[in-house]
Amino acid sequence: MKKCLWCSKTELNTTFLNLAHTIPESLGGSFICENVCDPCNTYFGAKQNRNAEIDLAIKETFYASYIRFLLAFKQIGKSKELARVKSFYFQINIEKLSISTKPAFKYLPGFQQSFCRQFKKGLYKMFLEESERQFGNGHNSEFDFIREFARFDLGDPPVYYYYRLLPFITTLKPMIKPEFSFDKRHYPYLVEEPGFFEFEFLGHVFGIPISRSWDLVIHNYLRKSRSAKGSYFRFPPINIRSITEIDIFLKCIHD
Ligand SMILES: [Zn+2]
């Protein structure tokens, strides 16, 4: 019987009719998590008070990176695909590889903070749904703090962003299709450390705690991470408060 990853309700007391995409379809995501009920699925796609939708915050933040990847692999031709480049907050000029903001994207601290908080929830949401989809371990009580944050807006766990210092050479063609990889073989600079999870998504490297008592292990984690990253990334990582801290257009890509 299906049991919702987020609210623990089962088919006895809620419905599971809609497909829950772990990674937004607009970024090329095609993976489905079976154990997400309809109300929880709707929650991630709906506006909350005046805050942006969690799914939208993810989609918007990574959209320019996604386009940049498609360009690097010459996946975007001329006018037909250009017409598909649509973003609510950003103006993307494919020929000039430039990105500018639309009026909806405000630099006011209130907007930035709440948009970034929604984005962070989205990253945790992708982690938990992909972990459930790939390993069936999403109900583990270690992840309760992720449920509380992403689904119920409680707490404020960190998201660390590693800014690249060296040009990034895009040799991994499969990355055109965004995936959430738990396999570190292709990413020697990512560490495996209990209590933390590092991942690369559309060229960006993040580290997030995956245990409520992460503050006990953060020093070990950062020490290990620093030696794995060498001079490829700026250290220490940024505990993001605004998505303007992320290199969303992947200026570091080398064609
Ligand atoms: Zn639910």
Side-chain angles (χ1 to χ4, degrees), residues 4 6-7 37 40:
C4 180
W6 298 106
C7 67
C37 78
C40 288

Side-chain angles (χ1 to χ4, degrees), residues 43 117 121 144-157 212:
Y43 172 83
R117 185 172 167 84
K121 289 181 198 167
D144 284 352
F145 81 101
I146 295 179
R147 272 178 271 281
E148 290 163 14
F149 177 56
R151 175 67 180 86
F152 301 102
D153 198 29
L154 299 168
D156 188 22
R212 189 190 294 279

Side-chain angles (χ1 to χ4, degrees), residues 9-237:
K9 288 185 180 167
T10 67
E11 284 166 294
L12 295 176
N13 41 29
T14 188
T15 55
F16 294 78
L17 302 174
N18 300 316
L19 296 180
H21 286 84
T22 60
I23 296 167
E25 268 183 298
S26 47
L27 296 178
S30 58
F31 304 119
I32 304 296
C33 182
E34 299 282 332
N35 289 320
V36 177
C37 78
D38 293 334
C40 288
N41 193 17
T42 302
Y43 172 83
F44 291 112
K47 266 200 177 306
Q48 292 131 32
N49 300 321
R50 284 171 29 220
N51 297 334
E53 300 87 334
I54 291 171
D55 284 344
L56 184 79
I58 287 289
K59 178 238 152 187
E60 286 286 325
T61 305
F62 287 119
Y63 198 58
S65 310
Y66 179 55
I67 298 297
R68 185 69 187 87
F69 259 102
L70 295 180
L71 277 171
F73 289 110
K74 315 278 184 282
Q75 297 290 307
I76 290 190
K78 296 292 173 207
S79 52
K80 194 173 59 175
E81 283 90 354
L82 283 176
R84 274 197 241 139
V85 178
K86 288 211 175 73
S87 166
F88 186 66
Y89 292 112
F90 303 108
Q91 193 77 51
I92 298 169
N93 184 321
I94 294 204
E95 273 112 38
K96 292 186 187 156
L97 288 185
S98 70
I99 183 165
S100 53
T101 54
K102 292 182 177 177
F105 187 85
K106 300 179 181 70
Y107 287 92
L108 301 170
F111 175 88
Q112 287 295 327
Q113 272 166 22
S114 80
F115 190 82
C116 186
R117 185 172 167 84
Q118 297 298 84
F119 170 74
K120 286 168 59 175
K121 289 181 198 167
L123 287 186
Y124 278 101
K125 175 215 174 232
M126 288 200 292
F127 164 79
L128 196 59
E129 292 188 355
E130 276 293 301
S131 191
E132 168 69 6
R133 183 184 72 82
Q134 297 186 40
F135 309 108
N137 64 359
H139 288 95
N140 188 327
S141 62
E142 275 290 294
F143 301 144
D144 284 352
F145 81 101
I146 295 179
R147 272 178 271 281
E148 290 163 14
F149 177 56
R151 175 67 180 86
F152 301 102
D153 198 29
L154 299 168
D156 188 22
V159 167
Y160 293 105
Y161 177 66
Y162 289 90
Y163 203 94
R164 281 180 198 276
L165 291 176
L166 292 180
F168 174 45
I169 297 160
T170 52
T171 50
L172 291 172
K173 199 162 180 178
M175 284 160 70
I176 286 178
K177 193 170 171 54
E179 57 168 25
F180 211 88
S181 181
F182 290 81
D183 180 353
K184 303 278 199 284
R185 273 174 302 181
H186 297 302
Y187 309 102
Y189 42 81
L190 300 185
V191 300
E192 296 200 61
E193 179 71 8
F196 271 84
F197 177 68
E198 282 193 347
F199 59 100
E200 177 158 332
F201 187 76
L202 284 167
H204 301 286
V205 172
F206 297 95
I208 59 170
I210 53 170
S211 160
R212 189 190 294 279
S213 46
W214 58 270
D215 53 327
L216 301 176
V217 290
I218 189 166
H219 291 295
N220 272 348
Y221 161 67
L222 288 175
R223 190 166 41 82
K224 217 166 158 183
S225 185
R226 172 172 225 152
S227 71
K229 306 253 176 333
S231 52
Y232 287 86
F233 295 86
R234 190 182 294 156
F235 217 88

